Amino acid sequence: MQFPLDVITGYFDENDMRVAKHPRHPKDLFSWVSAFCDDDAPGIGVAGIEGRPVYVVESRGTLPENACCVIVSKPGESISSSPAGARADDICVESALEPAVIADRIQRYLMGIIQWNDVMGDMIESECICQDLLKASEPVLKSYVGLSDSTYSYIAHTPNIAPIDDTSRYFIENKFYSSDALSKAREKGLVRTWAHQDWTTVHNEPNEITSHPSIERVFRLNDAYAAHLVMVSEKPISTAQVFLFNLLAKRVEMCLTHHWRLENPLEQRYTYFLKELLTGNTYDGSYLEERALLHGLPLTGLFEMCLIDNTWRAGSASYFAKKVLETDPNCKVAFEGSRVVVLLCTPEPRRGRIAGMEERLFELAGQMRLEVGVSDRYEHIDQSALALEKARIALKYGHRRSRRYTTFDQGLTAEGVFRFRRYFPYFVTDPFSRSEKFVAKLLSSPNPLSMLREADRERGTSDFEILRTYLYCEGSIKKVCDIMHMHRNTVSYRLDKIRDAIATDLEDPDMRMYLRTLYLLNE
């Protein structure tokens, strides 16, 4: 393993040994340090080859030719930045220690770095996580290091070294960067820089993000910005620190590649299949079932589509998507531009389970002041593209109209959650909506009325007409009995069957308006 010459001066700085002369080329590499000049040692007379040594000698001694030297002066001796005979890359230091002792300590310091690097390699092979790497790096780096993912939220940090700047301190306490820090980063174009950066950058002057010297490295995986490693120091960043930081960064990159799906939950195995479904690229029969099984999605069950807008209020769409998955791992997440699409699904048609997922999602969205468009529920995954259109309609017309009304969802405001059944009549009656194509798809797909007609055909009942009459009579069972010439108990019994058949609460006024609109469109 080779080291830059600046590692030696970095060791002297850490041990409070005054360096009078630094090497002119601090990035030049060497492999080992010795106080004994041996003519048979590798590297003598040939600069830059593997195994090039550095010799530690007294200031009064003879300097070996064609080799880099650490020239040691005793305290009280005159020491200058350019002593006689010193060459460009020689290092001059003041110390009461003997050259052999200094050489031994530097060599042990180098061996510590080699062992640290080897330990990190072994940890990678044993499938460690990034937090383990940062914890193992504390004794060597001796500075705060934080690692965020592409959502600017927490992955790992040095557990025993506290951050010294306010931005990093907020990051550790809250598990994500503050909105002020992200706003400043966007204003200065740093976010765009990070998205394309693949090199180590040193900031020895305070900048918009950190008020202390810092060094950063951006990782790109699958041709996308994946993670951001930052080290903040009280002292200016030296070439030695850059070298050590790059060793850590290389291991972190290997760890991220190993555990990419674990570290970034947005890279799930279902992602691309779900995007195909949302764009209408569905498959037929057994092939769709095979694909759904392969990507871990149920083919049938109970589904609901939610479209979340204004995700910039949460910091980014990626950050909100990650919080959704942390809150409820059963949700499936995709992106639609700056919006987040959340598919609530359960393989069993259990409305209570979907209601629980809804509650957690709406609570998270409410905390971040986001708006949610909600489709109606459906039972087959190939209806997801149509459900997304319903969520778009709910979001669009809900945003326009919601301020005029109050919500009937307990604990929520109408300005935050917009259900398709409530705002569909606005869409149909909007002369500029061009609703014909969507209405045709809606009527030809499974909907409450088509499900009711199918049940009538199978059982020989007339529930379709009973429901029409019930809605026309504004929920008056007595009027339904008079019009349909049926007994009250029979009407009540049939209404219970209708509720079960279409999985709908007929007491919900929004649902009744939605059903009446569907009846009008069917005529």
Side-chain angles (χ1 to χ4, degrees), residues 202-207 211-215 233 235-238 241:
V202 177
H203 305 282
N204 272 324
E205 298 296 330
N207 57 63
S211 57
H212 291 75
S214 62
I215 181 172
S233 172
K235 300 179 180 179
I237 305 297
S238 66
Q241 286 178 298

Side-chain angles (χ1 to χ4, degrees), residues 197-499:
Q197 182 177 322
D198 57 357
W199 59 89
T200 299
T201 304
V202 177
H203 305 282
N204 272 324
E205 298 296 330
N207 57 63
E208 291 76 11
I209 304 301
T210 60
S211 57
H212 291 75
S214 62
I215 181 172
E216 65 182 15
R217 176 70 176 271
V218 171
F219 302 104
R220 297 177 59 82
L221 295 173
N222 299 341
D223 295 324
Y225 168 42
H228 196 176
L229 184 68
V230 179
M231 184 178 81
V232 183
S233 172
E234 292 182 327
K235 300 179 180 179
I237 305 297
S238 66
T239 308
Q241 286 178 298
V242 175
F243 171 75
L244 298 176
F245 181 83
N246 281 334
L247 287 179
L248 172 62
K250 183 178 180 180
R251 298 302 185 181
V252 168
E253 185 172 17
M254 294 172 66
C255 187
L256 287 172
T257 304
H258 227 264
H259 298 287
W260 176 234
R261 288 180 178 172
L262 175 64
E263 302 289 8
N264 185 3
L266 303 182
E267 287 288 325
Q268 301 290 333
R269 60 175 179 166
Y270 63 78
T271 300
Y272 299 105
F273 176 62
L274 181 57
K275 288 180 179 178
E276 290 177 341
L277 291 176
L278 297 180
T279 55
N281 295 329
T282 57
Y283 307 91
D284 295 328
S286 59
Y287 187 53
L288 175 61
E289 183 177 2
E290 179 184 347
R291 293 273 291 175
L293 180 63
L294 177 66
H295 291 89
L297 288 172
L299 185 67
T300 59
L302 199 58
F303 303 86
E304 186 173 87
M305 192 69 67
C306 298
L307 183 62
I308 293 87
D309 199 9
N310 296 327
T311 52
W312 56 269
R313 293 174 180 169
S316 69
S318 299
Y319 175 68
F320 177 75
K322 181 176 180 181
K323 295 301 292 182
V324 169
L325 295 177
E326 290 177 352
T327 303
D328 194 334
N330 294 316
C331 294
K332 311 301 179 184
V333 175
F335 292 97
E336 189 190 56
S338 61
R339 295 174 169 179
V340 175
V341 180
V342 181
L343 175 64
L344 310 181
C345 59
T346 173
E348 300 175 359
R350 294 166 54 186
R351 283 179 282 175
R353 185 170 181 181
I354 287 289
M357 298 172 73
E358 265 189 2
E359 183 180 356
R360 290 186 288 273
L361 176 63
F362 295 165
E363 182 180 359
L364 179 63
Q367 291 172 355
M368 299 182 178
R369 298 180 295 111
L370 307 181
E371 297 173 341
V372 186
V374 186
S375 73
D376 52 8
R377 294 173 184 174
Y378 54 101
E379 297 182 352
H380 201 283
I381 197 171
D382 65 358
Q383 301 169 32
S384 296
L386 180 62
L388 180 57
E389 290 189 52
K390 293 178 181 179
R392 288 196 198 105
I393 291 171
L395 197 59
K396 178 180 179 181
Y397 288 88
H399 181 72
R400 291 181 183 178
R401 305 283 184 174
S402 64
R403 295 180 185 276
R404 301 182 184 181
Y405 302 94
T406 58
T407 183
F408 299 98
D409 292 330
Q410 186 177 3
L412 300 171
T413 64
E415 297 179 6
V417 177
F418 314 129
R419 294 188 181 275
F420 173 71
R421 63 173 180 256
R422 180 175 301 162
Y423 297 102
F424 176 63
Y426 291 108
F427 169 71
V428 174
T429 56
D430 184 355
F432 303 104
S433 64
R434 298 181 179 179
S435 59
E436 297 83 2
K437 185 176 179 180
F438 175 82
V439 169
K441 288 195 295 184
L442 177 63
L443 296 180
S444 62
S445 67
N447 61 70
L449 299 191
S450 67
M451 294 164 61
L452 202 55
R453 273 181 164 164
E454 182 65 26
D456 281 347
R457 280 194 295 268
E458 291 178 358
R459 297 191 297 242
T461 56
S462 57
D463 290 344
F464 184 86
E465 291 301 327
I466 292 176
L467 180 59
R468 183 206 296 269
T469 307
Y470 177 80
L471 295 172
Y472 175 78
C473 297
E474 296 293 341
S476 173
I477 295 180
K478 183 178 183 302
K479 291 182 180 180
V480 174
C481 294
D482 294 339
I483 295 174
M484 300 293 293
H485 305 289
M486 300 173 68
H487 192 274
R488 183 181 184 89
N489 290 345
T490 303
V491 172
S492 298
Y493 176 76
R494 295 315 310 168
L495 288 174
D496 289 339
K497 289 296 183 180
I498 289 171
R499 292 186 182 94

